Amino acid sequence: MNSTKKIDFISQWIKDYVDNMQNPARTLIVGVSGGIDSALTSTLSSLTGIKTIAVSMPILTNKNSTNLGSVHGKWLLNNFTNAHFLDIDLTESYKIFYSKLCDMEQTSELGFANSKARLRMMTLYQVASTQNGLVVGTGNKVEDFGVGFYTKYGDGGVDISPIADLMKSEVRELSQVLKIDTRIINAEPTDGLWDDDRTDEKQLGLSYDELEEAMTNSNSINREKYKKIRGNNTHKMNPIPVCKLPRR
């Protein structure tokens, strides 16, 4: 399937999902970070013709990505009559949360980083609630099903995942076809959760190209490293364990 057909298929899939709901949603809510995944997802959502609200949610860090999020939001407004853009600064809300917990013994910086993603998730669902909307996930196949590179109940908390069967390379291809801003396409991938704006590659230890190759090639030199990253995150990808009582 070529890129154009993939674009048509995914946007139609989103529309069909909404149309087949018992109580169809009126809007699609997408968090936009300034990264390529959220840019593609919000564009595919806008292509459905359904009211699409792209929401930028800066928190202290990642000023560069936040600016790119605004750039993409304005691009959506210029290209789609059904697109809307919200810029909701969550810095003060996060500061209050941080101040209440920062003095705890053995404070976890990773926990605070993940809390930013969870605060954003709460914001998206609040917007969705007021707009009778669905929260649209922005994770790709490498992140969602390869190495579990997302925050549990953060950016992993969504209603539908339209690009979760696309490799990162496919995300780039489709974004180029849709003429998404080249600054977003060429930006170094980052989750934007850290004060130092560390990249995804620095956190994972492998580039997305290397991860894709390791996922599909059992003889890859990076296979064991990939499996280790995946193993550390399988708790996110597996169903929640349920205690089953004996009924006899």
Side-chain angles (χ1 to χ4, degrees):
M1 187 182 293
N2 63 35
S3 296
T4 300
K5 287 184 178 179
K6 289 177 184 176
I7 290 168
D8 292 341
F9 185 93
I10 296 171
S11 60
Q12 187 62 48
W13 179 89
I14 297 171
K15 189 176 186 307
D16 288 345
Y17 182 90
V18 172
D19 289 343
N20 289 325
M21 294 175 65
Q22 186 171 355
N23 296 301
R26 292 199 301 267
T27 58
L28 301 168
I29 315 299
V30 189
V32 291
S33 62
I36 191 171
D37 297 313
S38 61
L40 176 62
T41 303
S42 54
T43 304
L44 291 169
S45 296
S46 298
L47 282 168
T48 65
I50 300 169
K51 180 179 179 181
T52 298
I53 304 177
V55 188
S56 174
M57 298 165 285
I59 303 176
L60 287 173
T61 62
N62 208 12
K63 291 183 173 58
N64 184 52
S65 289
T66 298
N67 288 337
L68 287 178
S70 296
V71 166
H72 181 67
K74 292 173 184 176
W75 181 86
L76 287 173
L77 294 177
N78 289 332
N79 285 276
F80 298 97
T81 57
N82 59 310
H84 301 258
F85 177 63
L86 294 178
D87 192 345
I88 304 174
D89 194 322
L90 297 175
T91 296
E92 294 306 314
S93 298
Y94 176 76
K95 282 182 177 179
I96 293 172
F97 175 83
Y98 183 89
S99 68
K100 298 295 184 181
L101 296 168
C102 65
D103 292 331
M104 290 183 64
E105 188 177 352
Q106 297 180 332
T107 294
S108 168
E109 290 306 311
L110 175 60
F112 280 124
N114 284 327
S115 292
K116 293 178 183 178
R118 291 174 179 133
L119 180 56
R120 287 171 176 144
M121 179 274 291
M122 291 171 58
T123 302
L124 292 176
Y125 272 99
Q126 181 61 32
V127 174
S129 180
T130 62
Q131 296 290 323
N132 186 19
L134 287 175
V135 175
V136 184
T138 62
N140 59 64
K141 191 171 186 175
V142 179
E143 295 168 341
D144 282 8
F145 299 111
V147 291
F149 189 62
Y150 57 87
T151 297
K152 198 173 186 178
Y153 306 120
D155 49 329
V158 300
D159 293 316
I160 58 173
S161 295
I163 70 165
D165 196 38
L166 294 179
M167 290 292 201
K168 191 75 167 186
S169 57
E170 293 177 294
V171 171
R172 295 191 200 101
E173 290 171 11
L174 270 57
S175 297
Q176 289 168 347
V177 171
L178 289 166
K179 301 187 184 307
I180 287 171
D181 195 292
T182 54
R183 288 171 292 178
I184 294 173
I185 294 174
N186 296 329
E188 193 74 28
T190 175
D191 59 16
L193 300 180
W194 301 90
D195 293 342
D196 55 8
D197 284 345
R198 67 191 69 176
T199 64
D200 291 354
E201 183 174 349
K202 286 182 179 178
Q203 293 188 67
L204 291 165
L206 293 172
S207 69
Y208 279 101
D209 287 340
E210 290 171 328
L211 286 169
E212 284 188 28
E213 196 268 340
M215 284 175 65
T216 57
N217 179 9
S218 60
N219 296 317
S220 168
I221 60 172
N222 293 310
R223 182 71 175 182
E224 290 305 312
K225 194 168 186 178
Y226 157 74
K227 288 169 66 177
K228 183 177 180 180
I229 299 170
R230 177 180 173 82
N232 289 335
N233 291 317
T234 51
H235 67 96
K236 302 179 191 178
M237 298 178 276
N238 290 336
I240 297 171
V242 176
C243 174
K244 295 285 189 178
L245 298 175
R247 297 300 181 181
R248 293 183 179 180

